[in-house]
Amino acid sequence: MTLHTEFFDIRPVDHFWVDIYHLMNSIVQPRPIAWISSVSETGVFNLAPFSYFNICSMNPAIISNSIFFNRDGSEKDTLKNIKATGKYVVGTVSFPSAEKANISSAPFDSNLSEFDEAKVQPVLRGPGEPPFISESPVQLECELNRTIPLGQGAGVGTLVLGNVKTIHLSAELKDCEWQKGISPRFMDNIGRMGGDFYAKTSEVFQMPRATVNK
């Protein structure tokens, strides 16, 4: 194993934010991807992937997403919809759905639905409700807890905290012991890396959590 004992320094404030963006994305990886379904006030279904995604709390269950402003400084449709309606659904992205998730990340006009553009079948849930994502075996039905703006303009994120109201599992999992978790081989999730790279999670290993004898 290589030991690293000498370093050179990079101060983010001294560099263009896009350069730091590429560097940080290559360091903080692999990142889980939240495929977020939302609906606009006019009823347009929106679908977009976000890799700044994690768990914040378990009791109560809260997840986080950081949604950046567009390069022109405007808010993304997903953030607008969540702030306006307080509702959204988070689905997972499996390897077979990677290309569709990537298509849904494109900057389509607000009046177009990424479900249509990426050819993803929505699972309708009633008027004003963001649909489930048929390509995802798990749906986290979320209610907005709060948004925390971290600034304004390009390269700035807004932290979105969501209360997980209901966890919806595919009927294919009805016989699984969900209390012990879902097999990563069934989920077949992908992770976001730096640049145009992604990681598959089909190759896994197990390691018992370290303990201390007292």
Side-chain angles (χ1 to χ4, degrees), residues 15-187:
H15 299 271
F16 183 37
W17 72 266
V18 173
D19 296 331
I20 300 302
Y21 167 85
H22 289 305
L23 176 61
M24 289 288 288
N25 281 349
S26 70
I27 294 170
V28 184
Q29 55 143 325
R31 300 186 303 279
I33 302 173
W35 211 0
I36 299 182
S37 165
S38 62
V39 60
S40 72
E41 292 183 291
T42 59
V44 178
F45 294 151
N46 180 269
L47 182 65
F50 295 91
S51 65
Y52 301 145
F53 163 50
N54 220 314
I55 298 168
C56 294
S57 171
M58 284 301 184
N59 187 24
I62 298 175
I63 60 172
S64 68
N65 293 92
S66 184
I67 300 178
F68 279 28
F69 286 94
N70 291 313
R71 292 292 177 96
D72 63 3
S74 62
E75 285 188 339
K76 292 186 183 296
D77 291 338
T78 299
L79 182 58
K80 289 180 184 177
N81 296 346
I82 291 174
K83 289 168 68 174
T85 67
K87 302 175 182 179
Y88 60 107
V89 169
V90 173
T92 56
V93 180
S94 62
F95 179 67
S97 302
E99 185 174 354
K100 291 185 178 183
N102 185 44
I103 292 171
S104 72
S105 72
F108 295 107
D109 289 340
S110 297
N111 62 335
L112 297 176
S113 172
E114 289 82 1
F115 280 93
D116 295 333
E117 301 302 320
K119 295 181 172 51
V120 175
Q121 179 182 331
V123 181
L124 303 181
R125 304 175 49 237
E129 297 293 334
F132 289 159
I133 306 160
S134 60
E135 307 259 348
S136 301
V138 174
Q139 320 282 330
L140 304 180
E141 184 181 351
C142 297
E143 177 182 85
L144 177 62
N145 178 298
R146 72 192 73 173
T147 59
I148 303 174
L150 304 176
Q152 291 286 334
V156 176
T158 296
L159 184 63
V160 178
L161 301 181
N163 298 325
V164 180
K165 305 302 292 184
T166 309
I167 303 169
H168 302 266
L169 303 182
S170 168
E172 292 185 32
L173 292 166
K174 67 181 184 302
D175 296 325
C176 82
E177 294 184 80
W178 59 264
Q179 296 89 341
K180 297 179 180 179
I182 303 169
S183 167
R185 292 182 176 84
F186 176 86
M187 298 290 289

